[in-house]
Amino acid sequence: MIQPDQLMQQNQVEVMTEDADRTETRRGFAQAVVSTLVTLIGGAIAASSGTYLLGRTKELNRNSWADAGEVSGLRQGVPQEIVFDKVLVDGWETKSEKTSAWVILGADGRVAAFSPQCTHLGCPYHWEAERKQFVCPCHGSCFDAKGSVIAGPALRPLDRYEMKMEGSRLWLGPVQVQRKS
Ligand code: FES
């Protein structure tokens, strides 16, 4: 038979065990709340930083124009390859890279600037004065002075730079991909 003393001791032990359980449950809950908050705050910071960086990169790329030089010496219908420095933005890094364009003064008095890569697989092409054609040595694609395809395998006309004139200086922007002829 259980004595009153023993019964009291047993009750005290049960009360202490329940208190310990409650304390343990509260600690676990607090840890879960803190961990969730840290995850949410970290996610929010990462998302806003990513959005800022991507947006900034896009903005800088979109706004990057390069001074391609004087074009007052262009002769009508005679393309000229010009080399210029283009500013490239890659994340935090900004670098300058040499690139080129084929620039031509058309019969209408307007200047056009073509990207130097063939629209088939990206080989550099050249102007053949006798044929009055841009010719790609890789697979034989040919384009006329307006950049239109004369012979494949290229299916698209030459891509053009966005361009603007400042006096007689030509400024080139991003390359605009041309659709199939
Ligand atoms: S890359 Fe120019 S024809 Fe193929």
Side-chain angles (χ1 to χ4, degrees), residues 118 120-123 136 138-141 153-154:
C118 172
H120 177 224
L121 292 177
C123 283
C136 179
C138 289
H139 311 98
S141 292

Side-chain angles (χ1 to χ4, degrees), residues 102-124:
W102 279 96
V103 180
I104 184 166
L105 178 65
D108 56 1
R110 299 173 106 172
V111 174
F114 300 116
S115 159
Q117 275 100 34
C118 172
T119 52
H120 177 224
L121 292 177
C123 283

Side-chain angles (χ1 to χ4, degrees), residues 73-84:
L74 278 179
R75 286 192 293 135
Q76 214 171 61
V78 182
Q80 195 178 318
E81 188 173 25
I82 52 172
V83 177
F84 60 100

Side-chain angles (χ1 to χ4, degrees), residues 53 56-58 60-61 87-95:
L53 288 175
R56 178 102 180 113
T57 300
K58 262 192 205 160
L60 288 171
N61 278 333
V87 175
L88 301 170
V89 180
D90 183 11
W92 294 108
E93 198 183 358
T94 301
K95 55 188 174 189

